[in-house]
Amino acid sequence: MSIVSRWLLAASALLLGGQSALADINMPVGVTPISKEVYGLHMMIFWICCVIGAVVFGVMFYSMFKHRKSKGAKPADFHESTTVEIIWTAVPLVILIAMAIPAAKTLIAMEDTSDAEVTVKVTGYQWKWHYEYLDSGISFFSSLHPDHNAARQKGSGVDVSQFDNYLKEVDNELVLPVGKKVRFLHTSSDVIHSWWVPALAVKKDAIPGFINENWALIEEPGVYRGNCTELCGRDHGFMPVVVRALPEAEYDAWVAENAPAPAITESTGAAATTAVAAVEEDADREWGLDELVAKGEGIYNTNCASCHQANGQGLPGAFPAITGSPVATGPIDAHINTVYVGVSGTTMASFANQLSDVDMAAVLTYQRNALGNSVGDTVQPSAIKALR
Amino acid sequence: MSAASAEHHDHDDHHGPAPGLTRWLYTTNHKDIGTLYLLFSLLMFFIGGGMALIIRAELFQPGLQLVDPLFFNSMTTMHALVMIFGVVMPAFVGLANWMIPMMIGAPDMALPRLNNWSFWIMPFAFTLLLSTLFMEGGGPAGGWTLYAPLSLQGGDSFAFVIFSIHFMGISSVMGSINIVATIFNMRAPGMTLMKMPLFVWTWLITAFLLIAVMPVLAGAVTMLLTDRFFDTSFFSAAGGGDPVMYQHIFWFFGHPEVYILILPAFGIVSSIIPTFARKPLFGYASMVYATASIAFLSFIVWAHHMFTVGMPLAGEMFFMFATMMISVPTGVKVFNWIATMWRGSMTFETPMLFAVGFLVMFTIGGLSGLMLAITPADIQYHDTYFVVAHFHYVLVPGAIYSIMAATYYWLPKWTGNMYDEKWGKIHFWVSTIFLNVLFFPMHFVGLAGMPRRIPDYSMQFADWNAVATIGAFGFGFSQLIFVYVVFKCMKGGEKATDEVWEGADGLEWTVPSPAPYHTFETPPPIR
């Protein structure tokens, strides 16, 4: 749609009091009691500011048209009036108090995280989210959808307008129930992130060493999208949040299907439905070089390519290359250690909790035998399992 | 100004400017140093602006076309550092150097050698800062706020950034000490504090803010330096440190810094509006008190930049109410300017156009600031383009427009020539149109959910980002008109009278145009 027609549409919607066409230029009303209150506050302040602006600019422009020298205006000489000064100090103060009272009420409600029925721990990673349902034990990572990830690379040649929700699609969505108070616990494993879903009016910083909390009660089923809003490094713009709100029965079914038997599953890329038993079995068997490399490529693109680049060349000075790297072509134990433990003082995080045994073995093998490297050895999932 | 010095050999030739380049290197003359600051600021304006155009070019369309995301982050970081520390602050210091001695009837600044030093640190500081862009790993890419732990992930160039910030801080503090010493000690007999022009008052208060907070910034970045290179853990949670503490310390500097960037602008506008309304400022005393109140409040509102970090409810309440309070003294100022215009006899030469542009658009930025003060709404606005729109409205048509207004206003006094009024007005109108095309749509995309500091975005934000980019290039290139007008005026033009403006009031208009190399060697009589 052209800009002009959007403008016209937005203007007509404004006149008719419509909401839909304003979606691109105004705050969403949202689907929680808090988000609706916040929207109400936002519109209230907006209109108060409009009225103040209209009065102030009205007086000013009247004066500018009337009291100009070219119209023969003679300057008056009045100045200093205590009465006037008191009035224009007191009136704004009254307006402020009128704004502060409803704002304080909403703020108190926002901070009340008591009596939650579902608790989800949200952990920020560079550059993905990890969700852990504390009640049911379900946990998984959520990264930018692989198709979008491929399209957003510089020089990908992909027309991004073909995607319905470009950069706002993930591999694993956060599934939440409608009509239940959900409490979020926010923390981070590396730098500060911020988890934001506009439709829920939930935005909280994820800070390493801190656990922040807030909550949402979603009133309508649907898919709600957001982003990381605290600059967190190179791919800050590419760690979306997608929440799928399901009616209670469907949510319960989803939980039943995905809840791990006794232990917690860790999974990336694939859907979180992988059965635990199958994972265990895979980790124990002997894997061939080719199948590890094949599996490793996708893991690499999701977890490593942001820094080390899809071609393994890295970014000189910032992120080392994998191709020809002394680590990736050197002793296998040091290579495993780099990925398993991380390198302190750098962006290189520990992937021990981020990747399963098989995934880590696959990506290590991929790094040693692809991207221009050909060491020829394999890292077996059992070797990773033995480290844990 | 070379033109200025050439004209006044009649009574000043016994100690006029030194010939050649050494004049600028060794000068202790407040006018020379003021000129150096202003030209430095102009150069940095185009460097920082060029970075902004790289940002806007990448954001013209969705998808990544031009730069790597890491370089994009480094552009947003450097753009802010250059514009704040390299453009607005040096320009204000330059104006202070030029005008404060002339406004209070002093022969020069109180500490002329310190003055020379505080300027000449700046080119070195910015060479250090800008050189990081050419180092392995690139420049700082963690945002100008340098939040730990992200900023600690950068390459070794980080040390250069820290040292350059130290240098800028030293320069600012020395400049501020000089301004305070000048104002307190060098006023002509009879120039009581409450007779000083408002530009002097606002700068006095700004100087105290700078002396108070620049050391805080220096402390914060020094802790970053030791965390990064000497294994301390001030801000590293794994080592027992506290990443949120960095934000508290930073914004304890950062919020007063915001007012450092705007209080001198208030002073400039308070000088210009009465001149072109041909009517005295409505409430001089209340303007002084309002400035002081804003300065005081600026120390107790810092955490409104941090409403999403997880503060206790009581803390959020306090910072919300304190922040809202700032709109009272700010409102007093706006109402005072309008009351000054009311029933005046106004003309709209370029300085007045920029002052009125300031008044209108700064008020828009002030109103969106009031919206941001409402904590529950701020949680939605925080770190979106709505915030970007807000602070660009207060900084560009706020601080930058006031500097442009001041330049046009005092340029005839500095050079002895009138600038080209036609091109000045064209500069104003073209800038103002493009500026709004650039920044107004940012309100829309911000409210609709576009985070700031991202190199790529969803399709729903595409139209308005394209519009903003067009505005950015238009605004950027229209600043070349400014350069043209200023340099044309320096070279020649219609001779300016001593008073320059019909309604001008103040000591600077009692000296010849161009102002002699040394003014007020004997103090002027004060009415």
Side-chain angles (χ1 to χ4, degrees):
Chain A
M1 201 187 301
S2 81
I3 288 154
V4 176
S5 57
R6 278 203 186 198
W7 249 109
L8 290 174
L9 202 65
S12 55
L14 198 64
L15 290 173
L16 299 169
Q19 293 291 348
S20 57
L22 287 173
D24 285 352
I25 61 167
N26 199 5
M27 185 189 283
V29 182
V31 291
T32 67
I34 291 290
S35 79
K36 287 168 189 170
E37 269 187 53
V38 169
Y39 176 81
L41 270 177
H42 158 70
M43 290 313 288
M44 179 191 79
I45 327 158
F46 172 72
W47 287 118
I48 290 176
C49 286
C50 286
V51 172
I52 296 173
V55 172
V56 169
F57 296 145
V59 173
M60 191 176 137
F61 280 101
Y62 175 84
S63 173
M64 274 164 42
F65 285 113
K66 281 283 175 189
H67 308 142
R68 49 169 69 212
K69 198 184 175 196
S70 57
K71 292 202 172 170
K74 293 275 174 289
D77 191 34
F78 63 86
H79 58 98
E80 309 279 343
S81 159
T82 313
T83 321
V84 173
E85 301 274 4
I86 288 173
I87 290 170
W88 70 36
T89 309
V91 171
L93 209 56
V94 172
I95 298 174
L96 286 181
I97 292 168
M99 289 159 102
I101 292 169
K105 276 186 187 157
T106 306
L107 189 59
I108 290 167
M110 285 177 112
E111 293 291 328
D112 178 14
T113 54
S114 59
D115 302 323
E117 294 176 81
V118 177
T119 301
V120 181
K121 184 176 162 210
V122 182
T123 309
Y125 284 77
Q126 284 175 317
W127 291 275
K128 52 185 170 274
W129 298 101
H130 181 259
Y131 299 114
E132 185 178 347
Y133 294 70
L134 297 188
D135 316 277
S136 57
I138 299 173
S139 77
F140 54 89
F141 281 92
S142 175
S143 311
L144 179 65
H145 193 280
D147 294 346
H148 295 243
N149 195 32
R152 64 101 176 174
Q153 303 296 334
K154 195 173 102 184
S156 69
V158 180
D159 174 18
V160 298
S161 65
Q162 65 177 291
F163 296 107
D164 281 343
N165 294 295
Y166 176 55
L167 298 183
K168 286 190 172 177
E169 205 79 74
V170 295
D171 48 7
N172 300 314
E173 294 165 344
L174 175 66
V175 178
L176 294 176
V178 167
K180 280 188 172 179
K181 185 167 181 174
V182 181
R183 183 169 68 129
F184 301 102
L185 301 176
H186 300 274
T187 189
S188 167
S189 81
D190 36 52
V191 301
I192 300 173
H193 303 269
S194 190
W195 195 81
W196 183 35
V197 182
L200 312 187
V202 165
K203 183 187 284 161
K204 202 66 138 182
D205 288 1
I207 304 171
F210 284 75
I211 294 180
N212 279 329
E213 47 175 8
N214 60 3
W215 65 280
L217 196 155
I218 303 172
E219 291 174 326
E220 295 161 37
V223 180
Y224 306 110
R225 299 168 198 278
N227 300 79
C228 175
T229 52
E230 179 63 53
L231 179 61
C232 57
R234 182 176 181 268
D235 282 354
H236 161 57
F238 307 101
M239 50 183 295
V241 175
V242 180
V243 171
R244 181 175 293 273
L246 297 177
E248 202 174 332
E250 287 178 45
Y251 172 77
D252 290 341
W254 181 86
V255 171
E257 191 184 333
N258 291 283
I264 294 169
T265 24
E266 294 290 351
S267 151
T268 54
T273 51
T274 326
V276 182
V279 173
E280 293 279 325
E281 201 170 281
D282 271 356
D284 290 331
R285 78 175 166 87
E286 185 82 6
W287 285 61
L289 178 71
D290 290 344
E291 58 177 334
L292 282 171
V293 170
K295 188 173 177 58
E297 185 174 5
I299 315 278
Y300 180 86
N301 285 333
T302 307
N303 294 282
C304 316
S306 281
C307 296
H308 298 294
Q309 306 300 303
N311 58 8
Q313 296 301 315
L315 288 176
F319 307 117
I322 300 292
T323 309
S325 133
V327 175
T329 59
I332 201 159
D333 286 344
H335 190 188
I336 294 172
N337 193 59
T338 302
V339 178
Y340 192 85
V341 179
V343 181
S344 79
T346 71
T347 318
M348 184 65 201
S350 160
F351 282 83
N353 296 323
Q354 301 192 43
L355 298 178
S356 69
D357 300 341
V358 176
D359 288 350
M360 192 179 296
V363 82
L364 284 163
T365 309
Y366 176 77
Q367 290 179 357
R368 298 178 78 77
N369 297 289
L371 305 168
N373 297 335
S374 51
V375 185
D377 54 3
T378 62
V379 178
Q380 287 301 323
S382 53
I384 308 295
K385 196 179 176 188
L387 289 172
R388 297 199 190 261
Chain B
M1 302 285 127
S2 54
S5 51
E7 299 251 334
H8 283 272
H9 280 269
D10 44 351
H11 57 279
D12 286 321
D13 52 353
H14 54 290
H15 50 343
L21 271 181
T22 53
R23 166 185 174 182
W24 301 105
L25 205 53
Y26 301 148
T27 185
T28 53
N29 180 286
H30 73 100
K31 299 185 182 79
D32 280 355
I33 294 172
T35 303
L36 285 171
Y37 265 113
L38 288 169
L39 291 177
F40 176 79
S41 161
L42 187 62
L43 173 68
M44 286 295 144
F45 185 50
F46 281 90
I47 293 177
M51 293 171 177
L53 291 188
I54 293 175
I55 294 168
R56 285 309 328 167
E58 178 55 61
L59 291 173
F60 183 56
Q61 290 182 330
L64 274 181
Q65 289 86 22
L66 302 174
V67 297
D68 185 85
L70 194 66
F71 182 73
F72 181 91
N73 290 347
S74 132
M75 282 294 102
T76 56
T77 305
M78 290 290 246
H79 165 70
L81 289 171
V82 168
M83 286 298 191
I84 291 167
F85 294 103
V87 177
V88 178
M89 289 169 70
F92 281 147
V93 179
L95 292 169
N97 257 294
W98 251 105
M99 302 318 300
I100 287 178
M102 279 163 64
M103 285 176 155
I104 60 173
D108 205 313
M109 298 293 281
L111 310 160
R113 283 176 196 281
L114 190 81
N115 204 10
N116 173 293
W117 192 23
S118 52
F119 171 76
W120 278 108
I121 286 178
M122 297 293 283
F124 293 94
F126 278 86
T127 307
L128 270 183
L129 181 66
L130 295 172
S131 70
T132 61
L133 285 174
F134 304 99
M135 293 179 189
E136 233 191 19
W144 82 279
T145 50
L146 303 172
Y147 275 9
L150 179 63
S151 60
L152 303 176
Q153 286 184 346
D156 288 345
S157 71
F158 191 56
F160 288 74
V161 177
I162 303 285
F163 286 135
S164 91
I165 291 173
H166 280 151
F167 279 133
M168 294 169 204
I170 291 169
S171 165
S172 298
V173 169
M174 291 195 309
S176 302
I177 290 172
N178 205 350
I179 286 167
V180 171
T182 305
I183 294 172
F184 279 154
N185 296 298
M186 306 280 284
R187 278 171 288 131
M191 173 68 77
T192 59
L193 287 175
M194 290 307 275
K195 276 189 186 167
M196 297 195 307
L198 263 172
F199 180 68
V200 182
W201 253 116
T202 52
W203 240 118
L204 178 66
I205 292 168
T206 303
F208 276 109
L209 289 182
L210 274 166
I211 293 169
V213 300
M214 288 312 281
V216 177
L217 175 68
V221 297
T222 305
M223 286 187 267
L224 288 179
L225 185 78
T226 60
D227 268 13
R228 171 69 179 77
F229 294 101
F230 303 105
D231 285 338
T232 57
S233 295
F234 290 107
F235 309 126
S236 150
D242 182 343
V244 179
M245 184 175 73
Y246 176 80
Q247 299 186 19
H248 281 292
I249 299 173
F250 181 86
W251 286 113
F252 186 78
F253 146 79
H255 202 78
E257 171 70 19
V258 171
Y259 292 99
I260 287 163
L261 299 175
I262 203 66
L263 292 185
F266 290 165
I268 291 165
V269 171
S270 304
S271 303
I272 291 175
I273 288 179
T275 297
F276 294 96
R278 293 168 180 77
K279 188 164 157 284
L281 192 66
F282 178 77
Y284 172 87
S286 72
M287 286 296 238
V288 172
Y289 301 142
T291 310
S293 317
I294 292 173
F296 168 73
L297 287 171
S298 76
F299 283 105
I300 58 166
V301 295
W302 76 87
H304 69 211
H305 297 269
M306 305 163 52
F307 279 139
T308 61
V309 301
M311 267 182 287
L313 181 62
E316 292 184 328
M317 290 277 188
F318 171 79
F319 285 108
M320 173 167 77
F321 297 144
T323 304
M324 293 173 78
M325 284 300 294
I326 292 183
S327 55
V328 174
T330 313
V332 166
K333 288 192 154 289
V334 172
F335 301 145
N336 256 300
W337 289 319
I338 292 172
T340 306
M341 291 160 77
W342 187 257
R343 289 182 52 212
S345 173
M346 277 183 273
T347 51
F348 296 90
E349 288 88 344
T350 311
M352 182 63 163
L353 285 179
F354 274 96
V356 170
F358 168 96
L359 193 45
V360 173
M361 290 180 278
F362 176 79
T363 303
I364 293 174
L367 291 171
S368 62
L370 182 56
M371 296 174 76
L372 283 157
I374 309 292
T375 309
D378 176 81
I379 287 170
Q380 288 280 47
Y381 307 141
H382 179 77
D383 267 339
T384 68
Y385 260 83
F386 189 77
V387 177
V388 177
H390 159 70
F391 66 70
H392 279 97
Y393 261 90
V394 290
L395 282 174
V396 183
I400 299 284
Y401 264 36
S402 79
I403 293 163
M404 304 260 179
T407 307
Y408 284 112
Y409 185 54
W410 285 308
L411 200 56
K413 180 56 65 187
W414 301 337
T415 63
N417 307 318
M418 293 306 287
Y419 60 86
D420 188 326
E421 189 66 57
K422 186 185 85 181
W423 280 101
K425 284 182 172 163
I426 292 173
H427 173 225
F428 170 78
W429 284 111
V430 174
S431 296
T432 302
I433 291 166
F434 279 120
L435 183 150
N436 286 286
V437 173
L438 163 58
F439 293 122
F440 210 81
M442 292 184 182
H443 291 111
F444 303 153
V445 290
L447 290 175
M450 178 168 163
R452 61 192 282 211
R453 293 166 164 169
I454 56 172
D456 195 2
Y457 48 80
S458 310
M459 293 306 301
Q460 74 186 106
F461 309 125
D463 291 350
W464 290 115
N465 271 289
V467 171
T469 297
I470 292 165
F473 278 83
F475 181 76
F477 283 100
S478 60
Q479 301 321 305
L480 295 173
I481 305 173
F482 179 65
V483 176
Y484 165 75
V485 176
V486 168
F487 283 93
K488 190 179 165 201
C489 180
M490 281 163 75
K491 279 168 71 180
E494 186 197 334
K495 293 288 161 243
T497 60
D498 292 359
E499 203 192 16
V500 183
W501 308 109
E502 188 185 39
D505 186 34
L507 288 176
E508 76 264 37
W509 309 110
T510 64
V511 301
S513 297
Y517 199 56
H518 298 283
T519 38
F520 299 127
E521 284 171 289
T522 51
I526 309 292
R527 280 171 288 138

